[in-house]
Amino acid sequence: MRRSTVSVAIATFNRSAMVKQAIEAALGQTLSPVEVCIADDASTDGTGTMLDRLRQAEPKIRVLHQCRNTGGVENWNAAIGMTSGEYIAWCSDDDQFLPDHLAASVGFMDEHPGIGLVHSSFVDMLETEEGRLQEARTLRFNRPAVLDKERLLT
């Protein structure tokens, strides 16, 4: 069975260190994305320069520099608009995918063609004096929740 392609979309503003970690985690997936598309919302902290350096080193990285700060929604739309994969994986600039995230998500979508969106649980990474701690967040559902178009906004 052919596996579908996936693009990762990231919108960022003034989060140079965090977005770099998000990009590295996206590129380190067991199912490699066809591209990682980042829209920089006119950052003033060096994020744009760092993104350009990453783009020069990695051909899968695509970067859009906004001329002015557009706010969250417009910048997210720009990041998503850059993608070409069959699926889009939304990654916030302060998030990091676990290594099998894309494989599990795309695998589920490919096995269930009637499903149009998947969402995973979270693992909070806490920086402490003793080091990094991982805390899994409790899921809101005790079983997979499937919402069809009729129940999506109710």
PDB file of all heavy atoms in Angstrom, residues 101 105 117-122 139-140:
ATOM      1  N   HIS A 101       5.267  10.509  15.007  1.00  0.00           N
ATOM      2  CA  HIS A 101       4.016  11.264  14.896  1.00  0.00           C
ATOM      3  C   HIS A 101       3.446  11.252  13.478  1.00  0.00           C
ATOM      4  O   HIS A 101       2.270  10.933  13.277  1.00  0.00           O
ATOM      5  CB  HIS A 101       4.219  12.705  15.369  1.00  0.00           C
ATOM      6  CG  HIS A 101       3.017  13.574  15.172  1.00  0.00           C
ATOM      7  ND1 HIS A 101       1.902  13.462  15.974  1.00  0.00           N
ATOM      8  CD2 HIS A 101       2.747  14.538  14.265  1.00  0.00           C
ATOM      9  CE1 HIS A 101       0.982  14.328  15.560  1.00  0.00           C
ATOM     10  NE2 HIS A 101       1.489  14.995  14.536  1.00  0.00           N
ATOM     11  N   SER A 105       0.034   9.300  12.207  1.00  0.00           N
ATOM     12  CA  SER A 105      -1.073  10.117  11.709  1.00  0.00           C
ATOM     13  C   SER A 105      -1.423   9.770  10.272  1.00  0.00           C
ATOM     14  O   SER A 105      -2.593   9.556   9.939  1.00  0.00           O
ATOM     15  CB  SER A 105      -0.718  11.607  11.806  1.00  0.00           C
ATOM     16  OG  SER A 105      -0.509  11.989  13.138  1.00  0.00           O
ATOM     17  N   LEU A 117      -9.336  14.531   9.518  1.00  0.00           N
ATOM     18  CA  LEU A 117      -8.477  15.235  10.460  1.00  0.00           C
ATOM     19  C   LEU A 117      -8.144  14.303  11.613  1.00  0.00           C
ATOM     20  O   LEU A 117      -9.012  13.567  12.083  1.00  0.00           O
ATOM     21  CB  LEU A 117      -9.210  16.469  11.015  1.00  0.00           C
ATOM     22  CG  LEU A 117      -8.499  17.235  12.106  1.00  0.00           C
ATOM     23  CD1 LEU A 117      -7.758  18.419  11.492  1.00  0.00           C
ATOM     24  CD2 LEU A 117      -9.485  17.756  13.127  1.00  0.00           C
ATOM     25  N   VAL A 118      -6.885  14.316  12.027  1.00  0.00           N
ATOM     26  CA  VAL A 118      -6.498  13.586  13.234  1.00  0.00           C
ATOM     27  C   VAL A 118      -5.781  14.553  14.164  1.00  0.00           C
ATOM     28  O   VAL A 118      -5.184  15.538  13.731  1.00  0.00           O
ATOM     29  CB  VAL A 118      -5.594  12.360  12.944  1.00  0.00           C
ATOM     30  CG1 VAL A 118      -6.330  11.319  12.152  1.00  0.00           C
ATOM     31  CG2 VAL A 118      -4.301  12.757  12.262  1.00  0.00           C
ATOM     32  N   HIS A 119      -5.875  14.252  15.442  1.00  0.00           N
ATOM     33  CA  HIS A 119      -5.214  15.065  16.458  1.00  0.00           C
ATOM     34  C   HIS A 119      -4.613  14.115  17.473  1.00  0.00           C
ATOM     35  O   HIS A 119      -5.220  13.124  17.850  1.00  0.00           O
ATOM     36  CB  HIS A 119      -6.232  15.988  17.137  1.00  0.00           C
ATOM     37  CG  HIS A 119      -5.616  16.983  18.060  1.00  0.00           C
ATOM     38  ND1 HIS A 119      -5.203  16.663  19.338  1.00  0.00           N
ATOM     39  CD2 HIS A 119      -5.323  18.285  17.898  1.00  0.00           C
ATOM     40  CE1 HIS A 119      -4.698  17.732  19.915  1.00  0.00           C
ATOM     41  NE2 HIS A 119      -4.754  18.739  19.061  1.00  0.00           N
ATOM     42  N   SER A 120      -3.414  14.419  17.918  1.00  0.00           N
ATOM     43  CA  SER A 120      -2.746  13.531  18.867  1.00  0.00           C
ATOM     44  C   SER A 120      -2.814  14.107  20.272  1.00  0.00           C
ATOM     45  O   SER A 120      -3.174  15.259  20.480  1.00  0.00           O
ATOM     46  CB  SER A 120      -1.283  13.356  18.457  1.00  0.00           C
ATOM     47  OG  SER A 120      -0.599  14.589  18.586  1.00  0.00           O
ATOM     48  N   SER A 121      -2.413  13.280  21.207  1.00  0.00           N
ATOM     49  CA  SER A 121      -2.286  13.756  22.579  1.00  0.00           C
ATOM     50  C   SER A 121      -0.979  14.537  22.705  1.00  0.00           C
ATOM     51  O   SER A 121      -0.229  14.674  21.748  1.00  0.00           O
ATOM     52  CB  SER A 121      -2.312  12.576  23.548  1.00  0.00           C
ATOM     53  OG  SER A 121      -1.241  11.705  23.252  1.00  0.00           O
ATOM     54  N   PHE A 122      -0.702  15.036  23.893  1.00  0.00           N
ATOM     55  CA  PHE A 122       0.470  15.864  24.131  1.00  0.00           C
ATOM     56  C   PHE A 122       1.367  15.233  25.178  1.00  0.00           C
ATOM     57  O   PHE A 122       0.904  14.523  26.060  1.00  0.00           O
ATOM     58  CB  PHE A 122       0.065  17.236  24.701  1.00  0.00           C
ATOM     59  CG  PHE A 122      -0.704  18.094  23.761  1.00  0.00           C
ATOM     60  CD1 PHE A 122      -2.078  17.967  23.649  1.00  0.00           C
ATOM     61  CD2 PHE A 122      -0.056  19.054  23.007  1.00  0.00           C
ATOM     62  CE1 PHE A 122      -2.798  18.775  22.796  1.00  0.00           C
ATOM     63  CE2 PHE A 122      -0.769  19.869  22.143  1.00  0.00           C
ATOM     64  CZ  PHE A 122      -2.138  19.730  22.035  1.00  0.00           C
ATOM     65  N   LEU A 139      -5.869  12.443  27.863  1.00  0.00           N
ATOM     66  CA  LEU A 139      -6.759  12.649  26.722  1.00  0.00           C
ATOM     67  C   LEU A 139      -8.142  13.062  27.194  1.00  0.00           C
ATOM     68  O   LEU A 139      -8.597  12.662  28.271  1.00  0.00           O
ATOM     69  CB  LEU A 139      -6.861  11.366  25.891  1.00  0.00           C
ATOM     70  CG  LEU A 139      -5.582  10.933  25.186  1.00  0.00           C
ATOM     71  CD1 LEU A 139      -5.801   9.579  24.528  1.00  0.00           C
ATOM     72  CD2 LEU A 139      -5.161  11.962  24.154  1.00  0.00           C
ATOM     73  N   ARG A 140      -8.818  13.831  26.369  1.00  0.00           N
ATOM     74  CA  ARG A 140     -10.174  14.273  26.715  1.00  0.00           C
ATOM     75  C   ARG A 140     -11.212  13.188  26.461  1.00  0.00           C
ATOM     76  O   ARG A 140     -12.313  13.253  26.970  1.00  0.00           O
ATOM     77  CB  ARG A 140     -10.520  15.521  25.904  1.00  0.00           C
ATOM     78  CG  ARG A 140      -9.695  16.721  26.313  1.00  0.00           C
ATOM     79  CD  ARG A 140     -10.185  17.972  25.605  1.00  0.00           C
ATOM     80  NE  ARG A 140      -9.454  19.107  26.087  1.00  0.00           N
ATOM     81  CZ  ARG A 140      -8.509  19.730  25.412  1.00  0.00           C
ATOM     82  NH1 ARG A 140      -8.181  19.314  24.216  1.00  0.00           N
ATOM     83  NH2 ARG A 140      -7.879  20.755  25.924  1.00  0.00           N
TER      84      ARG A 140
END
